[in-house]
Amino acid sequence: TLRRGCGAQLLTIVNDIIDLRSLGAACESGVGEEAKTMLQRVMPEHVVSAMMRGEKVPPERKDAVTMFFSDVAGFVALSSRMDEARVSDLLNRLYAQFDDLAHYHGIHKLETIGDAYLAATNLGGDQVDDHAARMAQFAMAAAEVAAETVIDTEDARAGFIQIRVGLHSGPVTACVLGQQSPKYTLLGDTVNVASRMETNSRPGYIHCTQATADLIRAQDPTIPLHPRDPIEIKGKGLMQTYWVNRRPPSSTSAPESPMSASSPGASQSGRVFES
């Protein structure tokens, strides 16, 4: 809870965090620690620490991260028949559980875009030996809690949430973009491919690339992996991919989402990730 009179100052600091003089003044008043705590929820700790010291954060090459993308199956249809307050409640209940799981598994949440949840591992360089397995465990837990989360608390007939998940491992460039409401962002083809894995997944299932499957095998051989028949991925051609933990019946191909016919890189929330 913020001390009386500090809320506006903290908001200014977080929204204009590059203004280092504001940060210095805030630290003297004690608000700086609150700003730091808030920023650590959206940026890795080493990035926040550098910014609080007044250092400009240059783009960082990350050679091996694992990306997580998920969306809510049938979200367009759900949104059309539920009012905005109930859709907001649905996503808030789901994301609150994902956030708890991310904290437990040491996953860095990047952002949410509509019904999409984005996260990554090994951004601090301290998860080199288990970043793919760690993300697979998080993905399995996320799919499980989603399947236990009711869609509409006012209508039990609506059933439970199903998410589609995509994972991919590879290099990215991490950077802080913007001065007003700065955003910690990952750039690179690894992000695009992870998005493609989610788009070509199925409700309730986790879909990953060969690269991620190889890492999972090496890091935790107990996690089940099921090869899928090679599928055509936009911009990549034919790819060998895998189901994590369990495979859907007749898993040769995935049904198209409402937007996938015209834009395979788009989820039901309408976001598109292109290189």
Side-chain angles (χ1 to χ4, degrees):
T1 302
L2 295 179
R3 294 183 296 280
R4 186 179 301 276
C6 291
Q9 184 182 5
L10 176 58
L11 183 61
T12 299
I13 294 162
V14 173
N15 283 341
D16 194 19
I17 198 70
I18 306 302
D19 185 344
L20 304 177
R21 292 170 298 180
S22 294
L23 276 178
C27 289
E28 292 178 4
S29 66
V31 181
E33 286 304 311
E34 297 176 30
K36 182 177 180 180
T37 299
M38 181 178 290
L39 284 170
Q40 285 173 339
R41 298 175 184 172
V42 295
M43 299 181 186
E45 185 172 357
H46 74 282
V47 173
V48 175
S49 296
M51 294 171 71
M52 298 293 285
R53 291 193 301 268
E55 301 171 5
K56 183 177 180 180
V57 182
E60 296 179 295
R61 168 79 174 188
K62 307 290 184 181
D63 292 326
V65 305
T66 297
M67 296 287 304
F68 169 101
F69 275 68
S70 73
D71 71 354
V72 175
F75 186 72
V76 170
L78 290 175
S79 298
S80 68
R81 68 172 184 262
M82 295 170 63
D83 62 48
E84 292 86 349
R86 287 155 68 194
V87 172
S88 174
D89 175 68
L90 178 159
L91 294 176
N92 191 54
R93 286 185 287 109
L94 180 65
Y95 293 160
Q97 295 180 90
F98 283 10
D99 289 350
D100 287 343
L101 289 172
H103 179 73
Y104 177 79
H105 288 278
I107 308 298
H108 182 79
K109 173 186 175 181
L110 290 165
E111 62 180 321
T112 58
I113 306 174
D115 65 314
Y117 191 100
L118 287 63
T121 48
N122 199 34
L123 294 178
D126 56 348
Q127 299 172 343
V128 175
D129 296 330
D130 70 349
H131 61 92
R134 181 186 295 263
M135 188 62 87
Q137 295 286 359
F138 167 74
M140 289 187 286
E144 183 176 345
V145 300
E148 297 172 351
T149 301
V150 296
I151 291 173
D152 190 345
T153 57
E154 299 178 12
D155 184 3
R157 295 171 299 175
F160 297 84
I161 296 173
Q162 292 287 317
I163 60 170
R164 302 184 304 173
V165 177
L167 307 179
H168 179 52
S169 305
V172 298
T173 295
C175 54
V176 178
L177 300 179
Q179 294 186 351
Q180 187 72 16
S181 300
K183 179 180 178 182
Y184 184 76
T185 302
L186 301 185
L187 304 175
D189 191 53
T190 296
V191 181
N192 299 330
V193 175
S195 177
R196 301 282 187 240
M197 291 301 102
E198 175 243 288
T199 302
N200 289 276
S201 186
R202 288 189 174 187
Y205 291 89
I206 303 163
H207 187 215
C208 78
T209 59
Q210 179 79 60
T212 300
D214 288 346
L215 287 169
I216 291 173
R217 284 196 188 98
Q219 295 173 5
D220 187 350
T222 67
I223 297 175
L225 292 166
H226 307 281
R228 182 180 188 178
D229 289 349
I231 59 172
E232 191 75 22
I233 300 295
K234 183 182 177 184
K236 291 297 171 184
L238 206 61
M239 289 185 68
Q240 174 63 64
T241 61
Y242 292 78
W243 300 110
V244 179
N245 191 37
R246 62 194 186 106
R247 73 171 117 205
S250 184
S251 61
T252 299
S253 60
E256 290 185 339
S257 70
M259 297 185 64
S260 64
S262 60
S263 178
S267 84
Q268 295 179 14
S269 64
R271 78 196 190 288
V272 179
F273 298 88
E274 299 284 0
S275 55

